[in-house]
Amino acid sequence: MKLGLLTGGLSLVAAACGTTSSGAAASGSSASQVAANYASYALHTGDTYSWVLPIPNEANYEPWDQNAEYGMYRPLYVAGDGAQPVIDYADSIGQKPIYSNGDTVVTVNLNAWKWSDGSPVTARDVQFFYNLYVANKSQIATYVPGNFPDNVASFKVDSPTQFTLTLKSAVNPLWFTDNELTDVVPLPQQTWDRESLSGKVGNYDLTPAGAKAVFKFLYAQSSKLSTYATNPLWQVVDGPWKLQSYDPTTARTVFERNKAFTGPDKPKLSGYVLESFSSQTAEVDALRNGSLDYGYLPLSDVKLSSTFKADGYTIAPWATDYVQWAELGYTSKTWGPLVKQLYIRQALQHVINEPLYLSATLHGDGQLTYGPVPNLPDSPYVSPQEKTDPDPYSVSAAKALLSAHGWTLGANGVMVCSDPGSAASQCGAGITKGEPLSLKFMYQTGTPTLQAQVEAFATAAKSAGMDLVLDPQSQSTMFSIGGVCPSSGPCNWGIILYRTFLWNYGQGDVLPTGGQMFGSGNYWGGGYSSSTAQTLISDTHTEAGLQPLFNYENYISTHVAALWFPTWDWQVSVVSDHLHGWNPQQVFGDPVPSRWYF
């Protein structure tokens, strides 16, 4: 998922520091908040809750949307158990799946669970989700050709509390459970299986045409933000929370406790509030005046930590199982021929100074990124090879790569192709004689930290003869252009970089394999396509053990499928000392308000 965060930063080019806010903090939490038993939580600057249907589309496939959805509609399997990147079976509707017939048959038994209208959550509700997914898979963000549901031959409801999937071929059970079944969300078939709000509930999903009509209806209803709190569809839930109010202008969202919740971890709070902010300053000011129980400090304001501590807050960096990269525009007619050349990607990676960015702009709150798997300390999923940088910062190494492949320095210090062709020492297919090595670089505005990294990258690239034409855009524009590309391509950019990270594990993927990122048909990888990579990814789906995962990540890392940037901590949390139950902070960046209490 593509997204962004808070933070401020400093200019690496100018080597100047700055801060967005200053002053003293208010007391940890207002008395009225505690008395009302509602906790307030700050989304990151510019982020807004704006999709209620727990089937993600491309533009709304964001962790803050999904986490709020899953608070109302519990997925079959909950990703993340505290600080551990594993499934939380204790909080899941599904019991541990049973694999048989050479790992080609998967049987799932459901725990006793009820919808808020009193109806039981059944295997039919899972089938309802499955049928909608099959009939509308091209519109669903989690879909990757060949993966779920393409790898399922049949779905059978065995009983109200059991269903069986027969697969088309054997799978790695760990991968299928962690990365396929975590996308499944039982839906209230007894309420949602209809083609209009006033129409009768039926079994329309049992035919492809009916499933398309139902999905179209639900999708349209989820697009009507002004009706979120009043639409009866969204009042039938099986999670610990339900919508109480929603402001479509500010996106302020209030959830109230689902009093009919039958699962574990019953909420101790009466409700919680998602607060959105248009600026970092506004969020810090809300912390100061005591209107936030759980917020964050921009990185440029970490010097305020001692002040907030003295006034009743706990400061806690939130490290997550995420990874950051810049996408490359492989499908672009203009810049695709350039970024398809491995040596150009390696040259670009050589001018990204990750250690400097981590220390100077992130103040050490993050981790270095050398490939597609999060480089968290003690992670069992990071290969020994991916713990070291295959293309360390070196302008001279970047220049040498370009010179060895037919590029010479032209006007204004920009390399031009002087030896076109596809031979090993030539520029490469699709690159014409005299063409400058220039790439349009779209990046997200509003974050000084990212701006500092972008400027440093562009300056170092120019020193090596590569011209990055900066194209700053707002988050909404980035999502509308990059968030639906290349499925709606070709992509009109050479490089695109979002704030903080591009891929977050836990949002459907627990095991860090690469199907959705760099597999065939992806759009998170900018349309990257490699038959070798696809074979290695497929191996992680079918072969047990960690070596297939290591083989995949080593190839993607050294093949520079994307440009690796340091991955930021999710945030530096600032939490009222009145609020408890929030620690440990969840490994996938998802707040768990059902465990909070004053």
Side-chain angles (χ1 to χ4, degrees):
M1 56 19 136
K2 298 174 178 174
L3 43 130
L5 178 67
L6 48 129
T7 66
L10 72 167
S11 171
L12 295 180
V13 178
C17 296
T19 180
T20 60
S21 308
S22 61
S27 60
S29 180
S30 68
S32 61
Q33 286 176 291
V34 177
N37 204 29
Y38 277 70
S40 53
Y41 178 85
L43 295 179
H44 292 161
T45 305
D47 295 345
T48 58
Y49 172 63
S50 58
W51 191 253
V52 66
L53 181 67
I55 304 177
N57 63 5
E58 291 180 11
N60 296 90
Y61 185 38
E62 310 301 345
W64 58 88
D65 280 322
Q66 190 174 69
N67 191 57
E69 294 159 9
Y70 285 1
M72 296 181 287
Y73 308 101
R74 183 59 54 92
L76 185 66
Y77 295 109
V78 175
D81 186 2
Q84 299 300 311
V86 297
I87 288 177
D88 183 355
Y89 284 105
D91 269 357
S92 297
I93 293 177
Q95 299 175 16
K96 288 186 179 182
I98 300 167
Y99 289 81
S100 59
N101 288 19
D103 298 328
T104 61
V105 175
V106 188
T107 302
V108 176
N109 292 291
L110 305 181
N111 292 311
W113 214 282
K114 287 187 177 181
W115 296 102
S116 55
D117 66 359
S119 303
V121 177
T122 68
R124 177 70 177 97
D125 296 321
V126 182
Q127 184 190 40
F128 179 51
F129 171 90
Y130 174 79
N131 290 341
L132 294 185
Y133 202 119
V134 170
N136 302 278
K137 60 188 180 184
S138 64
Q139 301 179 60
I140 298 173
T142 51
Y143 172 67
V144 174
N147 288 2
F148 183 87
D150 295 349
N151 50 17
V152 178
S154 66
F155 184 111
K156 181 175 180 289
V157 174
D158 304 317
S159 74
T161 59
Q162 185 187 84
F163 67 89
T164 296
L165 300 176
T166 300
L167 308 181
K168 294 180 180 178
S169 60
V171 296
N172 172 1
L174 180 62
W175 168 76
F176 193 83
T177 302
D178 284 12
N179 290 16
E180 300 284 79
L181 294 180
T182 48
D183 281 334
V184 175
V185 185
L187 303 177
Q189 187 272 335
Q190 80 283 359
T191 302
W192 287 10
D193 198 352
R194 61 177 75 197
E195 298 178 350
S196 69
L197 200 56
S198 59
K200 293 183 178 180
V201 173
N203 291 298
Y204 305 105
D205 68 297
L206 296 179
T207 68
K212 287 180 180 293
V214 172
F215 182 81
K216 181 179 180 180
F217 161 67
L218 293 173
Y219 190 103
Q221 294 299 305
S222 188
S223 301
K224 297 177 181 178
L225 276 65
S226 62
T227 68
Y228 273 11
T230 56
N231 192 322
L233 287 173
W234 317 131
Q235 292 301 306
V236 177
V237 300
D238 65 349
W241 306 103
K242 62 193 304 185
L243 271 168
Q244 178 176 323
S245 65
Y246 180 81
D247 187 328
T249 302
T250 65
R252 185 177 192 267
T253 311
V254 181
F255 296 92
E256 63 181 341
R257 180 173 55 210
N258 171 17
K259 296 178 182 178
F261 180 57
T262 58
D265 268 345
K266 291 179 173 55
K268 302 172 182 65
L269 297 173
S270 298
Y272 77 100
V273 184
L274 289 182
E275 301 281 9
S276 297
F277 296 92
S278 59
S279 71
Q280 298 167 10
T281 301
E283 190 273 339
V284 173
D285 286 345
L287 282 170
R288 280 207 206 91
N289 65 34
S291 60
L292 270 180
D293 297 301
Y294 199 150
Y296 52 83
L297 277 180
L299 290 179
S300 59
D301 281 344
V302 292
K303 66 183 183 182
L304 295 178
S305 296
S306 59
T307 303
F308 277 102
K309 285 180 182 178
D311 286 302
Y313 290 89
T314 295
I315 309 298
W318 191 342
T320 48
D321 204 41
Y322 293 173
V323 65
Q324 170 68 323
W325 66 75
E327 287 180 81
L328 296 164
Y330 291 99
T331 65
S332 168
K333 294 180 180 178
T334 303
W335 298 288
L338 293 171
V339 300
K340 286 178 181 178
Q341 306 305 317
L342 173 59
Y343 74 88
I344 289 180
R345 301 199 300 272
Q346 290 172 326
L348 287 166
Q349 190 65 55
H350 270 304
V351 295
I352 297 173
N353 195 337
E354 285 202 57
L356 178 63
Y357 301 172
L358 179 61
S359 63
T361 71
L362 302 179
H363 309 286
D365 290 323
Q367 61 261 5
L368 299 171
T369 304
Y370 302 137
V373 173
N375 199 10
L376 283 174
D378 303 320
S379 170
Y381 303 129
V382 184
S383 72
Q385 179 177 314
E386 203 195 320
K387 293 179 180 179
T388 59
D389 192 347
D391 301 296
Y393 180 75
S394 173
V395 173
S396 61
K399 285 182 177 179
L401 279 167
L402 299 176
S403 297
H405 289 84
W407 295 84
T408 56
L409 203 60
N412 301 318
V414 178
M415 292 281 193
V416 294
C417 176
S418 56
D419 189 11
S422 300
S425 61
Q426 293 179 313
C427 300
I431 300 174
T432 59
K433 186 176 180 62
E435 180 177 343
L437 210 173
S438 179
L439 292 162
K440 183 179 180 180
F441 181 16
M442 184 186 297
Y443 68 95
Q444 190 169 328
T445 58
T447 305
T449 296
L450 185 66
Q451 182 71 38
Q453 294 182 10
V454 166
E455 291 173 358
F457 176 34
T459 299
K462 188 63 178 292
S463 298
M466 297 178 285
D467 181 33
L468 302 184
V469 181
L470 300 186
D471 181 26
Q473 297 290 348
S474 67
Q475 176 171 282
S476 59
T477 300
M478 294 280 286
F479 285 172
S480 65
I481 295 175
V484 296
C485 186
S487 57
S488 307
C491 308
N492 189 29
W493 36 267
I495 306 171
I496 188 169
L497 179 63
Y498 295 82
R499 293 184 294 178
T500 73
F501 64 89
L502 190 117
W503 188 259
N504 55 299
Y505 288 97
Q507 193 181 357
D509 282 358
V510 176
L511 192 69
T513 58
Q516 292 191 50
M517 298 88 78
F518 298 109
S520 298
N522 75 79
Y523 50 85
W524 310 120
Y528 171 83
S529 179
S530 163
S531 58
T532 300
Q534 186 57 49
T535 297
L536 293 173
I537 290 169
S538 297
D539 289 345
T540 69
H541 300 175
T542 58
E543 298 179 12
L546 289 177
Q547 192 57 51
L549 176 65
F550 290 169
N551 294 341
Y552 146 73
E553 64 187 89
N554 292 344
Y555 180 80
I556 293 295
S557 170
T558 56
H559 207 235
V560 200
L563 299 180
W564 315 116
F565 277 73
T567 303
W568 311 15
D569 282 350
W570 175 235
Q571 65 184 33
V572 177
S573 296
V574 183
V575 188
S576 166
D577 287 344
H578 295 294
L579 188 65
H580 305 279
W582 57 271
N583 204 26
Q585 298 185 97
Q586 206 252 19
V587 68
F588 297 125
D590 295 328
V592 188
S594 60
R595 297 177 181 175
W596 301 349
Y597 61 95
F598 287 116

